[in-house]
Structure formats: C-alpha cells, structure tokens
Amino acid sequence: MKITVYNDWDHLPKAEGEGEQQVILSWDGEYRKGDVIAFTDLLPDRFYMVQVDACVPEALVLIRSDEVLYPVPFYEKKTSYNPLAFFGNRHYLSIRLAESFEIQAFRNLAKNPFDQHDVSHVYPHASANVETRGEAVFQARNAIDGVIATQCHGEWPYESWGINRQEDAAFTLDFGRPVDISEVRLYTRADFPHDNWWTDAELSFSDGTATHLTMQKKAGLAHCFPIIRKGITSLCLHDLIKSGEPSPFPALTQIEVYGTEHKK
C-alpha cells in the first residue's frame, strides 16, 4: 500500500511512502490548494485504520476499492475540521490493515472521522437529502466525525448536520456490510435559544423495519435508544418533528450506533 501527496494540476509527488502492512508518512512542507492525499495499492473489501492528519482522529473503515483520494480541504471546506488540521509545515499520515480484534470489538459502528462528502466506497458513510446551504459545517459527515460539542453551531468543534428547515429532511448512514446493533445514541444540537429540537422521529433500517423515537429537550446529553437489529447494512433517520418552540433550526450533532460485525 502507498500514501502519496501531490497537487492535482501537475501530479508531481510532494511526499510519498509505501509498505506491505502499514505506511507511516511524515513529511515537511505546506499543503497548497489543489493538493490531494492518495491512498493507493489497497486490497479492496478490507478493513483499514487510517489517519489523514495528526489533528484528525484515526478511523476504522471498510474500503471497497483499491484507492482512496482525499482532497486536502481549504477555505470554507475546512471549517468543519480542527483549525490545526492540514496546517503548518510538518505532517503525519498513516494507514494499516486493521487487526481482527479491532474489527470484531463491540464499538461505535457509525464513527468515521475519515468520511468524505462525495466518497461512497469508504464505510461507514453518512449522506442526506439536504444540508443547510451546502456548507461544510452542516454536512451529514459531521454527525459521524466523533466530535460532540452541542452548545453552539457553525465552525469546528460545533459542526453538525443541518436540515435547512426542510420538512422531509432525512439522514442516511450506510455501513457498507451487515452489522448487528444494540443501541443508537443521538446528540441533538442545543444552542438554545437559537436552536429548536426534535420531539419525534422515525428510524428505518435496511431490513424493512422501523422504530419510533421520542426525544426531549437536552443540552449536551445523548438520547439513548436500545434497539436490536441483526444483519442490517444501513439506517435512515427521517420524519423529524420539531418542538413548538419558535426557532426553526433543529440539528444533529452526532449519531452513535453501538454493536458488532454481523455474526451469521
């Protein structure tokens, strides 16, 4: 496997490293607009531990292709990341095959700080039918990045999934393979009085089942739902009903889905 940093206009490597089971790339230099981090020569349909920057947590992901291209975020697209990420003149990146004990552990199956808005072959992957004004700080991927700061809205660490007041807003989490789950936790944004909150929602699963969720006004605490499903590949949060308070701005800071790989 290989990690290469290059600029999209000339594809000349700024830094690169390779290895069989693991690659650790540390390099000196500055990222420029148009730079791409390429993870290549991968084994498709394998689990990897990937860290794209020292200020972005390592992620356990299923990669279904032989390469992943990660455009380095700049300007507005960087607002949902730690300001120190991709900054400065010394950088650290890594990728390795995940260990079996990491894959089989009981864990938050939703968490993926490596998720990208337009990449659907790396799982878990979050998407939605609406994201407020198309801004990075309101993208669906923010709800699985592991950052839980509910008391404000906007730039990191207050990024969230924003629904742009859309009545039929729906959030989809694709696991990319069958998993067994036992609990779902929702952290709703709580920047009151700017924010509203949801009293009810539906959670649908790839097996055709659904469950109704009832929520309360909470600040910084999770809405916890014991939900058992076996062998599901995705879920969808929809039919979101906001409270009667005047604000039109409910939002989702984070979703956590606890469980294991599917046991046949």
Side-chain angles (χ1 to χ4, degrees), residues 22 55-56 58 83 117-118 129 145 157 162 176 200 204 219 239 243 253:
Q22 182 177 37
C55 290
V56 177
E58 190 176 44
H117 184 269
D118 298 316
N129 64 346
D145 66 359
D200 297 271
S204 298
D239 287 353
S243 81
T253 296

Side-chain angles (χ1 to χ4, degrees), residues 5 14-15 24-32 37 51-56 72 78 83-93:
V5 179
K14 303 175 76 168
I24 296 175
L25 176 61
S26 56
W27 68 283
D28 293 344
E30 294 184 349
Y31 286 115
R32 301 295 183 188
I37 301 168
Q51 187 163 11
V52 74
D53 185 87
C55 290
V56 177
V72 177
K78 192 184 173 185
L84 296 177
F86 312 105
F87 179 76
N89 59 6
R90 182 161 294 177
H91 310 283
Y92 177 90
L93 309 89

Side-chain angles (χ1 to χ4, degrees), residues 106-123:
F106 179 85
R107 56 191 172 86
N108 176 13
L109 298 165
K111 185 177 179 180
N112 181 10
F114 187 60
D115 193 30
Q116 298 182 74
H117 184 269
D118 298 316
V119 174
S120 58
H121 56 270
V122 180
Y123 301 97

Side-chain angles (χ1 to χ4, degrees), residues 2 15 20 26 32 67 80 84 87 100 113 129 151 172 187 200 207 209 215 217 225 246-247 257 260:
K2 188 174 183 179
E20 292 186 7
S26 56
R32 301 295 183 188
E67 71 170 12
S80 60
L84 296 177
F87 179 76
S100 60
N129 64 346
Q151 65 269 33
T172 299
Y187 289 85
D200 297 271
D207 62 2
T209 64
M215 290 175 273
K217 186 176 185 179
F225 305 99
S247 169
V257 182
T260 63

